[in-house]
Amino acid sequence: MDLTYLKNLENYYINNPKISRIGISEQQIEKLEKELSIELPKAYKEFLNLAGDRDNLLGDWNRGFDQLSWIQEEIKESMTDVNLHLKPFFVFAEYSRDQALFFFLNEGENPSVYAYYEERIEENGKEVFYIKFRNSFSEYIDRCINEMLTNK
């Protein structure tokens, strides 16, 4: 897969060959898209291809490729429980079934990343269920890389 957005991630893995990672084939990504009837943004497909089944960047967040369909169901159920209805989105990581990182599916090839909290968080003096966490998926991954390099 030709990289447009996650060249820093590719370089991170090249420069740190001892870091364990397992990527997903383009065919597996296409199969997931067909199963979910969605088209994933290019930046996220690049992530899946580089390290979508195992990575060291996202810490304790549940994001395994084989669990992505289940994660969508769990977080959509959580959002329904709090009466939150959003335009089409995709959850790429969840934590404890009540927190998630996601992007909207209509925001282009490198969408913003949002954080969802079932218990609500404060944003600009208001309690909300989700906030814009990063301006793009690639920015989110770059910050994860920087944290890993800082904490070495």
Side-chain angles (χ1 to χ4, degrees):
M1 174 178 289
D2 290 330
L3 299 180
T4 303
Y5 301 102
L6 298 186
K7 291 179 182 177
N8 288 344
L9 181 59
E10 180 182 48
N11 289 333
Y12 171 73
Y13 286 124
I14 289 170
N15 294 326
N16 298 280
K18 292 183 180 180
I19 293 175
S20 177
R21 68 173 174 111
I22 299 173
I24 302 299
S25 72
E26 291 181 59
Q27 294 77 17
Q28 289 172 292
I29 296 168
E30 289 171 8
K31 182 180 176 190
L32 175 68
E33 289 177 312
K34 286 179 184 171
E35 285 175 11
L36 299 176
S37 298
I38 61 172
E39 184 175 343
L40 295 168
K42 181 160 177 37
Y44 183 64
K45 289 181 192 180
E46 291 177 11
F47 173 77
L48 289 175
N49 190 247
L50 288 168
D53 209 29
R54 182 186 305 152
D55 70 87
N56 69 324
L57 294 175
L58 304 185
D60 293 332
W61 289 89
N62 180 16
R63 76 286 186 187
F65 185 77
D66 61 339
Q67 297 176 15
L68 287 175
S69 294
W70 173 84
I71 290 170
Q72 306 314 302
E73 293 171 17
E74 287 295 312
I75 296 303
K76 285 178 183 175
E77 182 178 316
S78 172
M79 289 180 175
T80 299
D81 289 346
V82 297
N83 202 28
L84 179 63
H85 305 284
L86 302 175
K87 59 188 177 182
F89 64 92
F90 184 83
V91 177
F92 65 89
E94 70 85 29
Y95 187 81
S96 296
R97 297 183 178 179
D98 62 358
Q99 298 174 43
L101 298 173
F102 70 95
F103 48 76
F104 290 108
L105 290 169
N106 62 350
E107 287 191 356
E109 292 188 335
N110 192 16
S112 299
V113 171
Y114 297 84
Y116 163 75
Y117 304 90
E118 187 176 280
E119 297 296 319
R120 294 189 187 193
I121 56 170
E122 189 171 321
E123 168 88 345
N124 298 324
K126 294 163 66 175
E127 285 195 359
V128 295
F129 289 110
Y130 72 99
I131 59 168
K132 186 181 214 177
F133 188 60
R134 298 288 178 249
N135 290 320
S136 67
F137 188 79
S138 61
E139 177 189 328
Y140 172 71
I141 295 299
D142 285 347
R143 290 208 181 197
C144 290
I145 293 168
N146 289 339
E147 279 184 33
M148 292 301 297
L149 294 173
T150 302
N151 295 328
K152 260 188 165 180

